[in-house]
Amino acid sequence: MPPRATKRGAERTPLERDCDVLICGGSFAGLAVARELAESGADVLLIDRYEIGERQTSACGIPTGWLRALELQASLRQTFGELVIHTPYTTVRYHLPWTFSTFDYRTLCEVLADQAAFTFETAKVDGRTGHTVHTDRGDIRAAHIVDALGWRRVLGAGENIQPPDALLSRGLEVHPHGSGDDMEIWIDRSYVPAGYGWSFPAADELRIGVGSFDPRFHVRESTNRLATDLAAENVRYQGNWIPHALRNATEDGVFFAGDSAGHCLPLTAEGIRTALYFGLAVGRELSDVLGGRRSVSAALSSYSRFSASHARAFEWMLRCQRLVPRVPPRLLAGALRAIESRRFLDWAFGHYLEIAHPRFVTAGPRRTPVAVRVPA
Ligand SMILES: Cc1cc2nc3c(=O)[nH]c(=O)nc-3n(C[C@H](O)[C@H](O)[C@H](O)COP(=O)(O)OP(=O)(O)OC[C@H]3O[C@@H](n4cnc5c(N)ncnc54)[C@H](O)[C@@H]3O)c2cc1C
C-alpha cells in the first residue's frame, strides 16, 4: 500500500467555502487546468480525495515531447525510441519517429503543481447541485467548476452509466522491481481476447499489465500470468477503468477534462497527454473568463467545440480498437510486418501524435518558462 498522506480523523475539519474556480481532481487533467490559471490571480481551490501524487493512476508512459514542453523532465525515468510488439506468430520492432518515456507519478504531479498557484484540500467529492459541490467535508460554492475526477464523471448531470454497460475498458498492472531495455506490447488472445498486454520499464521498476477493451473480461489472472511469464513478481497492483468514448466536454455549466470527458484514446488507452492537453485548454478558457476577455457561456461553447473537433480521430481509433481483435492472428502478424517500413511508421505515428501534440503547450499564452522546483 502507498503511504497515506490524506487528512484523517481530527485533521478532517469541515470545509465550507466559496472560491472563483473549483478544480475537482488533482491528477493530470486537474493539475494542467491549475497550471494555466497560475497568473490569473483568482482564488483557485483544487480538491482530491488523496494528496497530490499519492496514488499512481497509470503505467505513466507519455511521448517525451510532452515532458519537455511542460518542463517535467525531473520526473523522467526511461526513454524508448522503439516499440516492440509480440503476437503468437511474430515479433516486430518499430522505430518510432518520436520517443516515448516513462516517468515517476509523484514527481510529475509535484513539479506540475509547483507551476501553478492554488489552495489544496483533500476531500471526497460526492456530487453537485448547480454551482455547489458536495464533499465529505462540506459544500463548496464556485463560480466555475471543473470535473477532472476521472472516468466516474462524478459531477455530470443525472445518473452515471456504470461498468460493464458503460463504454469503458479495464486495465490492471503490477509494479515489480526490475529493469528492461524495451517498451513491449503483447497482442495475444491467450492473455486477453480483445486488448493487449504491456511491459513498460521505468529504470528500476517494471510496469506490467493487461488491458481489456471488453469490460466484462477480468484481467487479474492474465496480468499475473504475463508477469510470471516475464519472470517478474506480482506485486504492487494498480488498476482502473479506462474510458474509450468521447463524452460531452461541458454540461450544465461544468467543464470536464481527461477521463471524465472520455479523453483517453481508444486502442492505445493513452490518456495522460490528452488529459494534460484538454486540461490546458480548459485552463486557457477560464483564464480568459477571469481576465474579462470572454463570457462564461462563450468559454463553455468554445471548449465544447474544441473537444468535439477531435471526434473524428477518436472514432477512427475506436474503429481500430474494434477491428484488431477480429483479425485472425496469422493475418495480424502479416499486417504488423507489412507496416514495418520507416515511411509508414513516420506517417502513422506522426498522425497519432498530432491528436494531442506537445506544441500545444507553447501555443498558449504561458510562453515564459516557469520557475521549476525539482523535488529532492
Ligand atoms: C492500468 C492502467 C495503465 C495505464 N497506463 C497509461 C499509460 O502508460 N499512458 C497513458 O497515457 N495512459 C495510461 N492509462 C490511462 C490514464 O491513466 C488515464 O487516461 C489518465 O490517468 C486520466 O487522467 P485524469 O487526470 O483525467 O484522471 P485520473 O488520473 O484518473 O485522476 C482522477 C483524480 O481524481 C481523484 N478522484 C476520483 N474520484 C474522486 C472523488 N470522488 N473525490 C475526490 N477525488 C476523486 C483521484 O484520486 C485522481 O487523483 C492507464 C490506465 C490504466 C488503468
Side-chain angles (χ1 to χ4, degrees), residues 58-370:
S58 74
C60 294
I62 191 169
T64 318
W66 268 94
L67 294 183
R68 256 186 255 116
L70 282 168
E71 300 174 86
L72 300 170
Q73 295 99 320
S75 65
L76 194 149
R77 280 284 183 91
Q78 197 166 337
T79 297
F80 310 91
E82 292 180 333
L83 171 66
V84 179
I85 305 181
H86 306 277
T87 77
Y89 296 103
T90 195
T91 289
V92 292
R93 185 175 280 273
Y94 289 165
H95 187 86
L96 304 175
W98 38 268
T99 63
F100 204 81
S101 291
T102 46
F103 61 84
D104 177 69
Y105 180 69
R106 182 183 289 271
T107 311
L108 181 133
C109 290
E110 285 175 0
V111 177
L112 198 49
D114 276 351
Q115 298 178 9
F118 57 85
T119 309
F120 176 73
E121 293 283 353
T122 51
K124 179 176 171 290
V125 177
D126 295 324
R128 174 183 64 88
T129 311
H131 280 257
T132 302
V133 168
H134 312 296
T135 79
D136 63 342
R137 292 178 59 198
D139 287 350
I140 304 166
R141 285 156 302 276
H144 311 290
I145 298 172
V146 181
D147 181 334
L149 292 166
W151 67 269
R152 258 182 235 277
R153 198 179 166 95
V154 180
L155 300 182
E159 284 296 303
N160 245 317
I161 319 165
Q162 294 295 318
D165 301 316
L167 287 168
L168 297 165
S169 304
R170 64 160 87 210
L172 179 70
E173 61 186 17
V174 288
H175 294 180
H177 294 301
S179 60
D181 295 328
D182 292 320
M183 182 171 70
E184 295 173 273
I185 297 281
W186 283 262
I187 308 177
D188 185 335
R189 286 169 202 176
S190 71
Y191 290 122
V192 55
Y196 64 95
W198 64 87
S199 171
F200 289 2
D204 54 357
E205 176 184 279
L206 294 167
R207 296 160 186 174
I208 299 171
V210 173
S212 170
F213 304 142
D214 177 357
R216 290 170 186 82
F217 184 84
H218 292 259
V219 288
R220 192 175 178 99
E221 188 275 328
S222 309
T223 301
N224 287 344
R225 195 150 41 84
L226 178 58
T228 306
D229 292 349
L230 298 175
E233 265 188 292
N234 291 313
V235 287
R236 292 178 284 280
Y237 286 85
Q238 186 277 119
N240 207 348
W241 296 100
I242 309 168
H244 59 239
L246 271 188
R247 306 180 71 177
N248 288 340
T250 61
E251 191 178 7
D252 200 19
V254 175
F255 291 86
F256 296 82
D259 278 6
S260 68
H263 285 146
C264 188
L265 293 166
L267 182 67
T268 58
E270 215 207 318
I272 298 172
R273 72 174 151 124
T274 47
L276 293 168
Y277 173 79
F278 287 103
L280 294 178
V282 170
R284 285 170 195 172
E285 294 293 351
L286 282 174
S287 184
D288 279 352
V289 173
L290 294 161
R293 294 180 292 279
R294 179 168 275 201
S295 70
V296 184
S297 61
L300 285 161
S301 335
S302 158
Y303 174 63
S304 176
R305 277 197 310 275
F306 175 72
S307 175
S309 71
H310 296 74
R312 250 188 91 203
F314 275 72
E315 277 158 21
W316 204 86
M317 298 287 295
L318 185 57
R319 251 178 256 142
C320 293
Q321 172 173 310
R322 288 179 175 147
L323 175 73
V324 172
R326 293 197 189 123
V327 178
R330 272 184 205 281
L331 196 62
L332 182 68
L336 289 172
R337 279 195 299 266
I339 60 174
E340 219 166 349
S341 90
R342 185 70 185 259
R343 241 175 101 198
F344 180 82
L345 292 177
D346 285 0
W347 175 84
F349 281 91
H351 276 281
Y352 177 64
L353 188 64
E354 283 295 332
I355 299 172
H357 199 281
R359 83 170 79 84
F360 187 67
V361 177
T362 42
R366 273 195 59 174
R367 286 191 193 124
T368 45
V370 281

Side-chain angles (χ1 to χ4, degrees), residues 42-57:
D43 176 13
V44 179
L45 175 63
L46 191 147
I47 56 175
D48 196 293
R49 60 184 161 184
Y50 302 116
E51 289 289 332
I52 289 171
E54 185 187 340
R55 282 279 171 114
Q56 183 162 333
T57 53

